[in-house]
Amino acid sequence: MEDYKERCESYERFMERMAVNIIQLTRKIGLVSSVPMPYQVDPQRFIEGCTGAMNHATKLELECLIIDFSNMSGITAVQNIPHFMRVVEAFGIIGIEVVMSGIKPDVALAAVDAGVCLGEVRTYNSTALALKDIYRA
């Protein structure tokens, strides 16, 4: 039983590392494609993973990071949105703009129902539209 628990924890750590894996699209633009989590992420482990992503984005000298939510379910997104918003704010402090793409209608409705406010964060219904707009700017 202990071996099973260790494997589950190892799987969770792996999934959380993959959830903040940055793909460099251009010299100044990166992409994080959200990985659906079958559970609510522990806040401390979420922050640790995001700190790693922030360090990686800084080393890549990114100016903009697109977070693609197209794989995220409404329930998972709403459960974790407070953590995402803290990360967006933290990236802004280090000079990296975060934009969100691929937010599904059920996720948008669930976020509104939960009272989520994205503030100044730019959102797009697809990563392609986000890239098109960013290149224009």
Side-chain angles (χ1 to χ4, degrees), residues 83-137:
H83 308 307
F84 284 120
M85 295 313 295
R86 288 180 61 205
V87 170
V88 167
E89 187 175 353
F91 269 101
I93 289 171
I94 65 170
I96 300 172
E97 179 189 14
V98 172
V99 301
M100 297 181 179
S101 70
I103 299 173
K104 296 177 186 174
D106 66 318
V107 173
L109 288 170
V112 169
D113 287 344
V116 172
C117 177
L118 296 179
E120 301 288 319
V121 179
R122 292 191 290 168
T123 60
Y124 302 88
N125 69 1
S126 72
T127 300
L129 289 174
L131 285 169
K132 185 177 178 181
D133 190 53
I134 292 167
Y135 283 128
R136 247 190 312 202

Short mmCIF file of all heavy atoms in Angstrom, two decimals, residues 83-137:
data_model
loop_
_atom_site.label_atom_id
_atom_site.label_comp_id
_atom_site.label_asym_id
_atom_site.label_seq_id
_atom_site.Cartn_x
_atom_site.Cartn_y
_atom_site.Cartn_z
N HIS A 83 -5.05 30.62 -7.71
CA HIS A 83 -3.61 30.40 -7.86
C HIS A 83 -3.12 30.99 -9.19
O HIS A 83 -2.07 31.63 -9.24
CB HIS A 83 -3.28 28.91 -7.81
CG HIS A 83 -3.84 28.20 -6.62
ND1 HIS A 83 -3.62 28.62 -5.33
CD2 HIS A 83 -4.64 27.11 -6.52
CE1 HIS A 83 -4.24 27.83 -4.49
NE2 HIS A 83 -4.87 26.89 -5.19
N PHE A 84 -3.89 30.78 -10.26
CA PHE A 84 -3.51 31.33 -11.57
C PHE A 84 -3.39 32.85 -11.50
O PHE A 84 -2.47 33.43 -12.05
CB PHE A 84 -4.53 30.96 -12.65
CG PHE A 84 -4.44 29.54 -13.12
CD1 PHE A 84 -5.52 28.68 -12.99
CD2 PHE A 84 -3.28 29.06 -13.71
CE1 PHE A 84 -5.44 27.37 -13.43
CE2 PHE A 84 -3.19 27.75 -14.15
CZ PHE A 84 -4.28 26.90 -14.02
N MET A 85 -4.33 33.50 -10.82
CA MET A 85 -4.32 34.96 -10.76
C MET A 85 -3.11 35.47 -9.98
O MET A 85 -2.52 36.49 -10.34
CB MET A 85 -5.62 35.50 -10.18
CG MET A 85 -6.84 35.21 -11.06
SD MET A 85 -6.60 35.58 -12.83
CE MET A 85 -6.40 37.35 -12.77
N ARG A 86 -2.70 34.76 -8.95
CA ARG A 86 -1.49 35.14 -8.21
C ARG A 86 -0.27 35.02 -9.11
O ARG A 86 0.63 35.86 -9.09
CB ARG A 86 -1.32 34.26 -6.98
CG ARG A 86 -2.33 34.57 -5.89
CD ARG A 86 -2.17 33.71 -4.67
NE ARG A 86 -0.86 33.89 -4.07
CZ ARG A 86 -0.26 32.96 -3.32
NH1 ARG A 86 -0.87 31.82 -3.08
NH2 ARG A 86 0.92 33.18 -2.79
N VAL A 87 -0.25 33.97 -9.93
CA VAL A 87 0.87 33.76 -10.84
C VAL A 87 0.91 34.85 -11.90
O VAL A 87 1.97 35.39 -12.23
CB VAL A 87 0.80 32.35 -11.47
CG1 VAL A 87 1.80 32.20 -12.60
CG2 VAL A 87 1.01 31.30 -10.40
N VAL A 88 -0.26 35.20 -12.45
CA VAL A 88 -0.34 36.27 -13.45
C VAL A 88 0.23 37.56 -12.86
O VAL A 88 1.04 38.25 -13.49
CB VAL A 88 -1.80 36.48 -13.92
CG1 VAL A 88 -1.94 37.76 -14.71
CG2 VAL A 88 -2.25 35.28 -14.75
N GLU A 89 -0.16 37.87 -11.65
CA GLU A 89 0.33 39.08 -10.98
C GLU A 89 1.84 39.02 -10.77
O GLU A 89 2.56 39.99 -11.02
CB GLU A 89 -0.39 39.27 -9.65
CG GLU A 89 -0.07 40.58 -8.97
CD GLU A 89 -0.88 40.80 -7.70
OE1 GLU A 89 -1.80 40.00 -7.41
OE2 GLU A 89 -0.58 41.77 -7.00
N ALA A 90 2.34 37.85 -10.34
CA ALA A 90 3.78 37.69 -10.10
C ALA A 90 4.58 37.82 -11.39
O ALA A 90 5.63 38.47 -11.42
CB ALA A 90 4.05 36.34 -9.43
N PHE A 91 4.09 37.23 -12.49
CA PHE A 91 4.76 37.38 -13.77
C PHE A 91 4.81 38.85 -14.17
O PHE A 91 5.81 39.34 -14.68
CB PHE A 91 4.07 36.56 -14.87
CG PHE A 91 4.62 35.17 -15.03
CD1 PHE A 91 3.96 34.09 -14.50
CD2 PHE A 91 5.79 34.95 -15.71
CE1 PHE A 91 4.45 32.80 -14.65
CE2 PHE A 91 6.31 33.67 -15.88
CZ PHE A 91 5.64 32.59 -15.34
N GLY A 92 3.71 39.58 -13.94
CA GLY A 92 3.68 41.00 -14.26
C GLY A 92 4.73 41.79 -13.49
O GLY A 92 5.36 42.70 -14.04
N ILE A 93 4.95 41.42 -12.25
CA ILE A 93 5.95 42.12 -11.43
C ILE A 93 7.35 41.94 -11.99
O ILE A 93 8.17 42.85 -11.91
CB ILE A 93 5.85 41.65 -9.96
CG1 ILE A 93 4.56 42.19 -9.34
CG2 ILE A 93 7.07 42.08 -9.14
CD1 ILE A 93 4.23 41.62 -7.97
N ILE A 94 7.63 40.77 -12.58
CA ILE A 94 8.96 40.55 -13.17
C ILE A 94 9.02 40.97 -14.64
O ILE A 94 10.00 40.71 -15.31
CB ILE A 94 9.45 39.10 -12.98
CG1 ILE A 94 8.58 38.09 -13.72
CG2 ILE A 94 9.58 38.76 -11.50
CD1 ILE A 94 9.16 36.68 -13.76
N GLY A 95 7.96 41.62 -15.12
CA GLY A 95 7.99 42.19 -16.46
C GLY A 95 7.54 41.29 -17.58
O GLY A 95 7.84 41.56 -18.75
N ILE A 96 6.85 40.21 -17.27
CA ILE A 96 6.37 39.30 -18.30
C ILE A 96 4.84 39.36 -18.32
O ILE A 96 4.20 39.04 -17.32
CB ILE A 96 6.85 37.85 -18.06
CG1 ILE A 96 8.38 37.80 -18.07
CG2 ILE A 96 6.27 36.90 -19.11
CD1 ILE A 96 8.97 36.48 -17.64
N GLU A 97 4.29 39.78 -19.46
CA GLU A 97 2.83 39.84 -19.58
C GLU A 97 2.28 38.44 -19.80
O GLU A 97 2.83 37.67 -20.59
CB GLU A 97 2.41 40.72 -20.75
CG GLU A 97 0.91 40.78 -20.92
CD GLU A 97 0.45 41.47 -22.19
OE1 GLU A 97 1.27 41.69 -23.09
OE2 GLU A 97 -0.75 41.75 -22.26
N VAL A 98 1.21 38.12 -19.11
CA VAL A 98 0.53 36.84 -19.30
C VAL A 98 -0.79 37.10 -20.00
O VAL A 98 -1.54 38.00 -19.61
CB VAL A 98 0.29 36.13 -17.96
CG1 VAL A 98 -0.59 34.90 -18.14
CG2 VAL A 98 1.60 35.74 -17.30
N VAL A 99 -1.04 36.36 -21.07
CA VAL A 99 -2.34 36.40 -21.73
C VAL A 99 -2.92 34.98 -21.67
O VAL A 99 -2.17 34.01 -21.59
CB VAL A 99 -2.26 36.91 -23.19
CG1 VAL A 99 -1.69 38.31 -23.25
CG2 VAL A 99 -1.46 35.99 -24.07
N MET A 100 -4.23 34.89 -21.69
CA MET A 100 -4.90 33.60 -21.60
C MET A 100 -5.63 33.30 -22.90
O MET A 100 -6.24 34.20 -23.47
CB MET A 100 -5.88 33.59 -20.43
CG MET A 100 -5.23 33.77 -19.10
SD MET A 100 -6.45 33.72 -17.77
CE MET A 100 -5.40 33.91 -16.36
N SER A 101 -5.54 32.06 -23.33
CA SER A 101 -6.22 31.67 -24.56
C SER A 101 -6.95 30.35 -24.34
O SER A 101 -6.66 29.62 -23.40
CB SER A 101 -5.22 31.53 -25.71
OG SER A 101 -4.38 30.41 -25.51
N GLY A 102 -7.90 30.08 -25.25
CA GLY A 102 -8.58 28.80 -25.25
C GLY A 102 -9.55 28.57 -24.12
O GLY A 102 -9.87 27.42 -23.80
N ILE A 103 -10.02 29.64 -23.50
CA ILE A 103 -10.97 29.47 -22.40
C ILE A 103 -12.32 29.04 -23.00
O ILE A 103 -12.89 29.75 -23.82
CB ILE A 103 -11.12 30.76 -21.58
CG1 ILE A 103 -9.76 31.13 -20.96
CG2 ILE A 103 -12.18 30.59 -20.49
CD1 ILE A 103 -9.73 32.47 -20.28
N LYS A 104 -12.78 27.88 -22.59
CA LYS A 104 -14.03 27.33 -23.12
C LYS A 104 -15.23 28.05 -22.51
O LYS A 104 -15.14 28.58 -21.40
CB LYS A 104 -14.12 25.84 -22.81
CG LYS A 104 -13.05 25.01 -23.48
CD LYS A 104 -13.19 23.57 -23.05
CE LYS A 104 -12.04 22.74 -23.57
NZ LYS A 104 -12.08 21.38 -23.05
N PRO A 105 -16.37 28.03 -23.21
CA PRO A 105 -17.57 28.69 -22.68
C PRO A 105 -17.98 28.19 -21.29
O PRO A 105 -18.34 28.99 -20.43
CB PRO A 105 -18.65 28.36 -23.71
CG PRO A 105 -17.89 28.20 -24.99
CD PRO A 105 -16.59 27.55 -24.58
N ASP A 106 -17.88 26.87 -21.04
CA ASP A 106 -18.26 26.36 -19.70
C ASP A 106 -17.31 26.88 -18.63
O ASP A 106 -17.73 27.17 -17.51
CB ASP A 106 -18.33 24.83 -19.68
CG ASP A 106 -17.00 24.16 -19.90
OD1 ASP A 106 -16.23 24.61 -20.76
OD2 ASP A 106 -16.71 23.16 -19.20
N VAL A 107 -16.04 27.05 -18.97
CA VAL A 107 -15.07 27.60 -18.03
C VAL A 107 -15.38 29.07 -17.76
O VAL A 107 -15.36 29.52 -16.62
CB VAL A 107 -13.63 27.44 -18.55
CG1 VAL A 107 -12.63 28.15 -17.66
CG2 VAL A 107 -13.27 25.96 -18.69
N ALA A 108 -15.69 29.82 -18.82
CA ALA A 108 -16.02 31.24 -18.67
C ALA A 108 -17.25 31.41 -17.78
O ALA A 108 -17.26 32.25 -16.87
CB ALA A 108 -16.25 31.87 -20.04
N LEU A 109 -18.29 30.62 -18.04
CA LEU A 109 -19.51 30.72 -17.23
C LEU A 109 -19.25 30.33 -15.78
O LEU A 109 -19.74 31.00 -14.85
CB LEU A 109 -20.62 29.85 -17.82
CG LEU A 109 -21.22 30.36 -19.13
CD1 LEU A 109 -22.12 29.30 -19.74
CD2 LEU A 109 -21.99 31.65 -18.88
N ALA A 110 -18.49 29.28 -15.57
CA ALA A 110 -18.17 28.86 -14.20
C ALA A 110 -17.36 29.92 -13.48
O ALA A 110 -17.59 30.19 -12.29
CB ALA A 110 -17.42 27.53 -14.22
N ALA A 111 -16.44 30.56 -14.19
CA ALA A 111 -15.63 31.62 -13.59
C ALA A 111 -16.49 32.82 -13.20
O ALA A 111 -16.35 33.37 -12.11
CB ALA A 111 -14.52 32.05 -14.54
N VAL A 112 -17.40 33.21 -14.09
CA VAL A 112 -18.30 34.33 -13.79
C VAL A 112 -19.19 33.98 -12.60
O VAL A 112 -19.36 34.80 -11.68
CB VAL A 112 -19.14 34.70 -15.03
CG1 VAL A 112 -20.25 35.67 -14.66
CG2 VAL A 112 -18.25 35.29 -16.11
N ASP A 113 -19.74 32.77 -12.58
CA ASP A 113 -20.58 32.33 -11.47
C ASP A 113 -19.81 32.34 -10.15
O ASP A 113 -20.38 32.58 -9.08
CB ASP A 113 -21.14 30.94 -11.72
CG ASP A 113 -22.24 30.93 -12.78
OD1 ASP A 113 -22.77 32.02 -13.10
OD2 ASP A 113 -22.56 29.83 -13.28
N ALA A 114 -18.49 32.06 -10.21
CA ALA A 114 -17.66 32.02 -9.01
C ALA A 114 -17.16 33.41 -8.62
O ALA A 114 -16.46 33.56 -7.63
CB ALA A 114 -16.49 31.08 -9.22
N GLY A 115 -17.50 34.43 -9.42
CA GLY A 115 -17.09 35.79 -9.10
C GLY A 115 -15.66 36.12 -9.49
O GLY A 115 -15.07 37.07 -8.98
N VAL A 116 -15.10 35.35 -10.42
CA VAL A 116 -13.72 35.58 -10.85
C VAL A 116 -13.64 36.82 -11.73
O VAL A 116 -14.44 37.00 -12.64
CB VAL A 116 -13.18 34.35 -11.61
CG1 VAL A 116 -11.83 34.63 -12.23
CG2 VAL A 116 -13.13 33.15 -10.70
N CYS A 117 -12.67 37.66 -11.45
CA CYS A 117 -12.42 38.86 -12.26
C CYS A 117 -11.00 38.77 -12.79
O CYS A 117 -10.05 38.65 -12.02
CB CYS A 117 -12.60 40.12 -11.40
SG CYS A 117 -12.21 41.63 -12.31
N LEU A 118 -10.86 38.81 -14.10
CA LEU A 118 -9.53 38.71 -14.70
C LEU A 118 -8.82 40.05 -14.79
O LEU A 118 -7.67 40.11 -15.20
CB LEU A 118 -9.64 38.07 -16.09
CG LEU A 118 -10.14 36.64 -16.12
CD1 LEU A 118 -10.23 36.13 -17.54
CD2 LEU A 118 -9.25 35.73 -15.28
N GLY A 119 -9.49 41.11 -14.44
CA GLY A 119 -8.85 42.42 -14.42
C GLY A 119 -8.31 42.82 -15.78
O GLY A 119 -9.03 42.82 -16.76
N GLU A 120 -7.04 43.12 -15.83
CA GLU A 120 -6.39 43.62 -17.04
C GLU A 120 -5.86 42.50 -17.95
O GLU A 120 -5.25 42.79 -18.98
CB GLU A 120 -5.23 44.53 -16.66
CG GLU A 120 -5.63 45.73 -15.82
CD GLU A 120 -6.39 46.77 -16.63
OE1 GLU A 120 -6.01 47.03 -17.78
OE2 GLU A 120 -7.38 47.30 -16.10
N VAL A 121 -6.06 41.25 -17.59
CA VAL A 121 -5.51 40.15 -18.37
C VAL A 121 -6.22 40.05 -19.71
O VAL A 121 -7.44 39.99 -19.78
CB VAL A 121 -5.65 38.81 -17.60
CG1 VAL A 121 -5.09 37.65 -18.43
CG2 VAL A 121 -4.96 38.89 -16.25
N ARG A 122 -5.42 40.04 -20.80
CA ARG A 122 -6.00 39.86 -22.13
C ARG A 122 -6.37 38.40 -22.33
O ARG A 122 -5.60 37.51 -21.96
CB ARG A 122 -5.02 40.29 -23.22
CG ARG A 122 -4.75 41.78 -23.23
CD ARG A 122 -4.00 42.21 -24.47
NE ARG A 122 -2.62 41.72 -24.43
CZ ARG A 122 -1.79 41.75 -25.47
NH1 ARG A 122 -2.20 42.23 -26.64
NH2 ARG A 122 -0.56 41.30 -25.37
N THR A 123 -7.55 38.16 -22.89
CA THR A 123 -8.00 36.79 -23.15
C THR A 123 -8.38 36.64 -24.62
O THR A 123 -8.83 37.60 -25.26
CB THR A 123 -9.21 36.42 -22.27
OG1 THR A 123 -10.28 37.31 -22.56
CG2 THR A 123 -8.87 36.48 -20.80
N TYR A 124 -8.20 35.43 -25.13
CA TYR A 124 -8.50 35.11 -26.52
C TYR A 124 -9.14 33.73 -26.55
O TYR A 124 -8.82 32.88 -25.72
CB TYR A 124 -7.22 35.10 -27.37
CG TYR A 124 -6.49 36.41 -27.34
CD1 TYR A 124 -5.54 36.68 -26.36
CD2 TYR A 124 -6.77 37.39 -28.27
CE1 TYR A 124 -4.89 37.89 -26.32
CE2 TYR A 124 -6.11 38.61 -28.24
CZ TYR A 124 -5.17 38.85 -27.27
OH TYR A 124 -4.53 40.07 -27.22
N ASN A 125 -9.99 33.50 -27.56
CA ASN A 125 -10.63 32.19 -27.60
C ASN A 125 -9.74 31.12 -28.23
O ASN A 125 -10.07 29.95 -28.20
CB ASN A 125 -12.01 32.24 -28.25
CG ASN A 125 -11.98 32.53 -29.72
OD1 ASN A 125 -10.91 32.68 -30.31
ND2 ASN A 125 -13.15 32.62 -30.33
N SER A 126 -8.59 31.52 -28.78
CA SER A 126 -7.64 30.53 -29.29
C SER A 126 -6.22 31.09 -29.20
O SER A 126 -6.02 32.30 -29.18
CB SER A 126 -7.95 30.16 -30.75
OG SER A 126 -7.61 31.23 -31.60
N THR A 127 -5.27 30.19 -29.18
CA THR A 127 -3.86 30.60 -29.16
C THR A 127 -3.49 31.29 -30.46
O THR A 127 -2.72 32.25 -30.47
CB THR A 127 -2.96 29.38 -28.90
OG1 THR A 127 -3.32 28.81 -27.64
CG2 THR A 127 -1.50 29.77 -28.86
N ALA A 128 -4.07 30.85 -31.57
CA ALA A 128 -3.80 31.48 -32.87
C ALA A 128 -4.19 32.96 -32.86
O ALA A 128 -3.43 33.82 -33.34
CB ALA A 128 -4.53 30.75 -33.99
N LEU A 129 -5.37 33.27 -32.30
CA LEU A 129 -5.79 34.67 -32.22
C LEU A 129 -4.90 35.47 -31.27
O LEU A 129 -4.59 36.64 -31.54
CB LEU A 129 -7.25 34.77 -31.78
CG LEU A 129 -8.28 34.33 -32.81
CD1 LEU A 129 -9.67 34.34 -32.19
CD2 LEU A 129 -8.24 35.24 -34.03
N ALA A 130 -4.47 34.86 -30.18
CA ALA A 130 -3.57 35.54 -29.25
C ALA A 130 -2.26 35.89 -29.95
O ALA A 130 -1.79 37.03 -29.87
CB ALA A 130 -3.29 34.65 -28.04
N LEU A 131 -1.70 34.94 -30.68
CA LEU A 131 -0.44 35.20 -31.40
C LEU A 131 -0.61 36.27 -32.45
O LEU A 131 0.24 37.16 -32.60
CB LEU A 131 0.07 33.91 -32.05
CG LEU A 131 0.68 32.90 -31.08
CD1 LEU A 131 0.89 31.56 -31.78
CD2 LEU A 131 1.98 33.43 -30.51
N LYS A 132 -1.71 36.23 -33.18
CA LYS A 132 -1.97 37.23 -34.23
C LYS A 132 -2.00 38.62 -33.61
O LYS A 132 -1.39 39.56 -34.14
CB LYS A 132 -3.30 36.91 -34.92
CG LYS A 132 -3.62 37.80 -36.09
CD LYS A 132 -4.92 37.33 -36.75
CE LYS A 132 -5.28 38.23 -37.90
NZ LYS A 132 -6.53 37.81 -38.54
N ASP A 133 -2.69 38.77 -32.48
CA ASP A 133 -2.80 40.08 -31.83
C ASP A 133 -1.46 40.52 -31.24
O ASP A 133 -1.09 41.68 -31.33
CB ASP A 133 -3.88 40.04 -30.75
CG ASP A 133 -4.20 41.41 -30.22
OD1 ASP A 133 -4.50 42.31 -31.05
OD2 ASP A 133 -4.17 41.60 -29.00
N ILE A 134 -0.73 39.61 -30.64
CA ILE A 134 0.56 39.95 -30.04
C ILE A 134 1.54 40.39 -31.12
O ILE A 134 2.29 41.35 -30.93
CB ILE A 134 1.12 38.75 -29.24
CG1 ILE A 134 0.25 38.51 -28.01
CG2 ILE A 134 2.57 38.98 -28.83
CD1 ILE A 134 0.50 37.18 -27.33
N TYR A 135 1.55 39.71 -32.25
CA TYR A 135 2.45 40.11 -33.35
C TYR A 135 2.11 41.47 -33.89
O TYR A 135 2.98 42.21 -34.34
CB TYR A 135 2.43 39.08 -34.48
CG TYR A 135 3.23 37.84 -34.18
CD1 TYR A 135 2.67 36.58 -34.32
CD2 TYR A 135 4.55 37.92 -33.76
CE1 TYR A 135 3.40 35.43 -34.05
CE2 TYR A 135 5.28 36.79 -33.49
CZ TYR A 135 4.71 35.56 -33.65
OH TYR A 135 5.43 34.43 -33.38
N ARG A 136 0.83 41.83 -33.88
CA ARG A 136 0.39 43.14 -34.37
C ARG A 136 0.86 44.25 -33.47
O ARG A 136 1.09 45.37 -33.92
CB ARG A 136 -1.13 43.19 -34.45
CG ARG A 136 -1.65 43.28 -35.84
CD ARG A 136 -3.10 43.57 -35.84
NE ARG A 136 -3.78 42.66 -34.91
CZ ARG A 136 -5.05 42.36 -34.95
NH1 ARG A 136 -5.82 42.92 -35.82
NH2 ARG A 136 -5.59 41.52 -34.11
N ALA A 137 0.95 43.97 -32.19
CA ALA A 137 1.30 45.01 -31.19
C ALA A 137 2.73 45.47 -31.29
O ALA A 137 3.57 44.97 -31.90
CB ALA A 137 1.02 44.49 -29.79
#
